[in-house]
Amino acid sequence: MSNKEGNNTQKQGGVSMRPGGMGNRMLGAPQKAKDTWGTVKRIGTYMMYYKFKLLGVLIMIVFSSLFTIIGPYLLGLAVDEYIIPMDFKGLTLISLLMIVVYLLASFFTWLQNKLMIEVSQQTVTRMRKDLFGKIQKLPLKYFDSRPHGELMSRLTNDVENVSSTLSNSTTQVFSSVIILVGTIIAMLLLSPILTLISLIIIPLMIISSNQITKRTRKFFKEQQKSLGELNGLIEESISGQKVIKTFAREEHILKEFDVYNEKFRYASIRAQIYTGLIFPLLNVLNNISFAIVAGAGGYLAARDVISVGLILTFINYIKQFTRPVNELANEFNMVLSAVAGAERVFEVIDEEEEPLDIKNALPLENIKGKVDICNVDFSYNKGVPILKGVDLKVEPGQMIALVGPTGAGKTTIINLLTRFYDVDSGTIKIDDYNINDVKRRSLRSSLGIVLQDTYLFSESVKENIRYGKLDATDEEVEEAAKLANAHQFIVRLSDGYDTVLGEDGGGLSQGQRQLLAIARVILSDPSILILDEATSSVDTRTEIHIQEAMMKLMQGRTSFVIAHRLSTIQKADLIVVINDGQIIEKGTHSELLDKKEYYYELYMTQFNKLKEISNL
Ligand SMILES: Nc1ncnc2c1ncn2[C@@H]1O[C@H](COP(=O)(O)OP(=O)(O)OP(=O)(O)O)[C@@H](O)[C@H]1O
């Protein structure tokens, strides 16, 4: 008995199929790994942690296959030795024995499945843990340069694919091979001539199913492609609902959807109809081989070359023989696609980690907040310089406004300060410590960052604020929220501080989210602040609250503000104007206006307009 029987395999006259047809994975071209054997070996090393259980699985497979092969033999024996001679006592005994044999075959199959599921789940848990652990160690560069969806898919789909293939297909492949080999040996031992006759039909089966598969593969590819297009459109229409509604494009997108939906329907029908051919065809061939064996077997039995019972044995062998033949191809494709998935998982595991701190790295503690950026050059990609010779000296407690056109390099300076990226040349010093020589964690905990788009976790408001200092008491959390002007709106939420937020702070306005981010940073009490002012306008009251909270937060701390509001810029101790990766002007608001150069132009064209909408 095949180990899939009774779980997710349906049988049709000795030919097995998965629910819902053969599925694209069988007929579509399998995704291939670049280094199949290397990846298989690597999966093997993961599985070797559970080698005793694996050994158990192997033994169980041998036992279940053995009993599966013995069953039909006993059936033939029952006919020859007990039914024909009418020995009913013996018949009862052999019937009981057959029941025991089939029960044992099922029992060992169940045991083998149970053990294999345990092994595969443990293996995959370990793999998932390694992968997730790795993600925490990857440099930000890695996430910036890849679509997040793709990484998510490696963590979820690919790992799941490995898991289900390990649980099902591996035992399936092993037991299919053992049953195949075992059955052929048993058949040859019992009657070489009848074996030959039985196997005549096998090449025909393989050739005809190959022929159909070749044709259907094309249709399945088309089906997959149009499914991809359809899903892409659905995804876009969900994430872009706001834009669709704003531009009243509902009708348009519905029409587009109809086209893709129709294309998918057409491709699916063609693919499924052709696939539907394969089972009846294999069934017919299967039944023809029964007829041939019955006919030829009957002829041989009449001539006393073989016994009548042997015909029955052989018919049963053919039944359990054709199933593995058909399944092996199916399972093989599934294994190949899982190996490709595992390879993608390993690719992430092998990615270069954020470099370790240098030996004897110093902890950055109790810093005053002096920052010295000296002749820094930087490029994200080799040969495309982004920052060129940036020089900037900041005294403790100063507020620096970074201004400049979009793409000038403001965020890049922040990325270097936080060591999300490292400088190509030049140095950045904090309190005379080169940031490359200090412990990264201590550097980052000396910095407090409030971005325009702060990420909030789907936890309670309280826990989100506490993220700034994990051992903060409830009182400290509330105190920080009060300082951040967030307390008033928090207490009005349904559960106050215990209100659980939706994904990424869902349910809160952008302004409220920024207030929570400020509270979080207040709690972490950093020496140096990095603030990215929101470009989108929030309501006047919230805007005033944010401005106030930011000012409070900045008091006594060195702060870098990527400034978009005139009021902030005017208050800055030093305005740094960046254009095309270079600092082109430095000074206070009035100094720079007096110079009547770049800042003056910028002010006249950009900030003057902002003045009208600026709230302070
Ligand atoms: N991860 C990245 N990989 C490659 N290039 C990048 C990356 N991030 C930014 N850049 C490029 O670096 C340049 C400076 O970008 P940066 O984000 O520092 O500008 P910015 O002044 O902060 O702009 P904005 O005001 O629009 O935020 C841009 O040309 C941008 O395309």
Side-chain angles (χ1 to χ4, degrees):
M1 184 194 271
S2 137
N3 74 339
K4 278 271 179 65
E5 242 176 80
N7 59 42
N8 60 356
T9 308
Q10 300 166 5
K11 277 204 299 169
Q12 282 196 353
V15 178
S16 82
M17 62 187 273
R18 282 164 191 273
M22 304 231 284
N24 331 7
R25 292 172 68 189
M26 175 174 176
L27 294 165
Q31 281 180 296
K32 285 217 177 78
K34 287 174 221 128
D35 176 14
T36 307
W37 275 116
T39 313
V40 168
K41 269 193 216 151
R42 207 151 158 196
I43 300 174
T45 52
Y46 269 90
M47 292 174 82
M48 272 310 166
Y49 286 104
Y50 315 101
K51 47 180 173 294
F52 294 113
K53 273 191 188 165
L54 267 181
L55 190 69
V57 172
L58 263 180
I59 294 171
M60 294 307 128
I61 291 178
V62 172
F63 273 122
S64 65
S65 307
L66 210 67
F67 285 116
T68 306
I69 296 166
I70 291 175
Y73 175 73
L74 290 180
L75 195 66
L77 211 63
V79 173
D80 291 338
E81 303 293 327
Y82 306 106
I83 296 178
I84 296 174
M86 293 204 188
D87 175 357
F88 294 116
K89 200 169 156 235
L91 184 63
T92 315
L93 283 178
I94 201 163
S95 299
L96 286 175
L97 184 64
M98 273 161 60
I99 291 174
V100 173
V101 163
Y102 280 120
L103 278 178
L104 281 176
S106 288
F107 173 71
F108 285 119
T109 305
W110 169 77
L111 214 58
Q112 128 205 340
N113 280 342
K114 178 183 171 288
L115 279 178
M116 196 59 209
I117 285 169
E118 279 174 20
V119 172
S120 67
Q121 287 310 323
Q122 281 168 321
T123 306
V124 167
T125 304
R126 193 176 271 267
M127 223 182 248
R128 203 181 280 128
K129 192 168 168 236
D130 282 357
L131 183 60
F132 193 71
K134 182 71 184 203
I135 284 173
Q136 312 307 319
K137 289 187 192 155
L138 286 173
L140 217 67
K141 182 169 66 177
Y142 182 84
F143 301 94
D144 282 349
S145 55
R146 278 171 186 78
H148 292 179
E150 201 233 2
L151 194 58
M152 285 286 294
S153 152
R154 292 184 194 214
L155 253 166
T156 51
N157 298 349
D158 285 343
V159 174
E160 192 40 45
N161 197 358
V162 175
S163 159
S164 63
T165 305
L166 281 186
S167 320
N168 297 321
S169 305
T170 15
T171 49
Q172 186 68 29
V173 169
F174 277 121
S175 69
S176 291
V177 170
I178 293 180
I179 290 178
L180 267 180
V181 176
T183 310
I184 291 181
I185 293 173
M187 285 163 89
L188 283 171
L189 286 177
L190 292 169
S191 165
I193 177 142
L194 203 54
T195 308
L196 262 181
I197 295 169
S198 310
L199 298 186
I200 277 174
I201 216 82
I202 298 289
L204 209 61
M205 272 183 171
I206 294 174
I207 291 167
S208 54
S209 71
N210 263 353
Q211 284 301 317
I212 300 179
T213 306
K214 236 189 241 164
R215 290 192 173 84
T216 42
R217 189 169 284 162
K218 198 177 111 225
F219 298 134
F220 268 104
K221 255 192 188 162
E222 267 168 38
Q223 188 197 17
Q224 261 176 323
K225 191 166 156 256
S226 49
L227 182 65
E229 289 168 347
L230 189 68
N231 284 345
L233 185 79
I234 293 171
E235 206 180 303
E236 255 184 26
S237 89
I238 289 173
S239 32
Q241 253 316 302
K242 228 182 205 167
V243 181
I244 293 170
K245 287 209 161 56
T246 319
F247 288 92
R249 285 286 184 274
E250 291 93 337
E251 288 288 320
H252 174 79
I253 200 151
L254 264 175
K255 271 191 201 136
E256 214 175 328
F257 178 81
D258 279 344
V259 172
Y260 284 126
N261 205 13
E262 199 50 32
K263 213 170 131 189
F264 178 57
R265 182 190 65 86
Y266 183 66
S268 299
I269 286 181
R270 285 216 302 184
Q272 309 283 345
I273 284 179
Y274 270 86
T275 315
L277 257 177
I278 209 159
F279 292 113
L281 187 81
L282 289 180
N283 253 341
V284 166
L285 291 175
N286 213 30
N287 290 330
I288 289 176
S289 71
F290 291 165
I292 293 173
V293 168
Y299 179 77
L300 291 173
R303 306 214 149 200
D304 254 356
V305 180
I306 60 164
S307 66
V308 178
L310 204 65
I311 304 174
L312 212 58
T313 303
F314 266 67
I315 286 181
N316 273 285
Y317 277 155
I318 298 168
K319 228 187 225 175
Q320 67 190 31
F321 187 88
T322 47
R323 197 170 57 239
V325 166
N326 294 316
E327 269 180 5
L328 265 179
N330 185 9
E331 299 300 336
F332 191 63
N333 277 359
M334 299 201 23
V335 171
L336 277 190
S337 115
V339 170
E343 190 175 55
R344 281 194 296 275
V345 170
F346 292 140
E347 263 168 21
V348 182
I349 292 180
D350 291 341
E351 271 297 325
E352 206 176 318
E353 291 178 7
E354 190 163 42
L356 290 175
D357 291 331
I358 59 154
K359 234 181 171 181
N360 307 324
L362 301 164
L364 201 58
E365 281 167 348
N366 304 321
I367 55 166
K368 296 197 177 68
K370 191 169 109 178
V371 179
D372 191 355
I373 301 176
C374 184
N375 202 17
V376 162
D377 289 335
F378 174 75
S379 51
Y380 286 103
N381 300 310
K382 272 206 173 84
V384 191
I386 299 289
L387 293 183
K388 294 158 236 167
V390 171
D391 264 312
L392 182 62
K393 282 191 172 44
V394 181
E395 293 306 321
Q398 272 194 328
M399 172 191 174
I400 311 297
L402 300 174
V403 298
T406 179
K410 304 177 291 285
T411 313
T412 307
I413 294 183
I414 303 303
N415 280 343
L416 297 182
L417 258 178
T418 46
R419 284 198 71 196
F420 288 150
Y421 290 83
D422 284 332
V423 295
D424 291 346
S425 65
T427 51
I428 300 179
K429 287 183 182 166
I430 293 182
D431 278 14
D432 296 326
Y433 290 105
N434 185 335
I435 59 168
N436 285 351
D437 300 338
V438 300
K439 289 192 169 140
R440 239 192 224 90
R441 285 185 76 157
S442 70
L443 166 73
R444 289 180 188 156
S445 49
S446 313
L447 303 169
I449 308 174
V450 180
L451 299 174
Q452 288 196 30
D453 220 0
T454 309
Y455 192 84
L456 295 172
F457 296 95
S458 27
E459 286 184 34
S460 67
V461 170
K462 195 160 68 187
E463 290 311 317
N464 265 295
I465 299 178
R466 216 196 295 272
Y467 209 76
K469 184 183 169 206
L470 295 179
D471 56 358
T473 60
D474 282 2
E475 288 71 35
E476 284 177 298
V477 169
E478 205 171 313
E479 192 54 37
K482 279 181 183 155
L483 279 170
N485 284 339
H487 180 73
Q488 291 116 302
F489 91 80
I490 296 174
V491 288
R492 281 202 300 271
L493 295 174
S494 57
D495 287 323
Y497 280 85
D498 292 316
T499 309
V500 175
L501 301 177
E503 194 187 334
D504 194 11
L508 295 183
S509 74
Q510 219 203 344
Q512 289 171 334
R513 286 157 52 160
Q514 210 166 23
L515 289 179
L516 285 190
I518 294 173
R520 193 191 259 176
V521 173
I522 289 177
L523 204 57
S524 72
D525 193 22
S527 312
I528 299 174
L529 274 177
I530 291 164
L531 304 173
D532 192 355
E533 270 190 333
T535 40
S536 55
S537 45
V538 290
D539 70 88
T540 321
R541 261 171 67 97
T542 318
E543 176 62 43
I544 294 170
H545 281 160
I546 293 175
Q547 290 282 340
E548 271 180 18
M550 281 202 178
M551 287 302 157
K552 264 189 244 167
L553 185 59
M554 284 191 270
Q555 260 164 31
R557 300 177 215 263
T558 308
S559 27
F560 292 85
V561 188
I562 298 181
H564 299 290
R565 310 218 174 270
L566 192 60
S567 54
T568 320
I569 298 168
Q570 283 170 339
K571 282 180 194 137
D573 297 307
L574 185 69
I575 298 169
V576 176
V577 186
I578 304 162
N579 190 24
D580 196 19
Q582 285 171 313
I583 296 182
I584 52 167
E585 276 179 54
K586 272 186 246 180
T588 61
H589 179 62
S590 51
E591 280 169 8
L592 291 181
L593 279 189
D594 288 345
K595 267 175 85 178
K596 291 214 161 126
E597 285 178 11
Y598 194 90
Y599 180 77
Y600 176 82
E601 290 294 322
L602 201 72
Y603 176 76
M604 284 309 184
T605 55
Q606 201 174 340
F607 296 130
N608 234 355
K609 271 185 227 150
L610 282 174
K611 209 174 180 179
E612 294 155 24
I613 56 164
S614 186
N615 305 303
L616 285 175

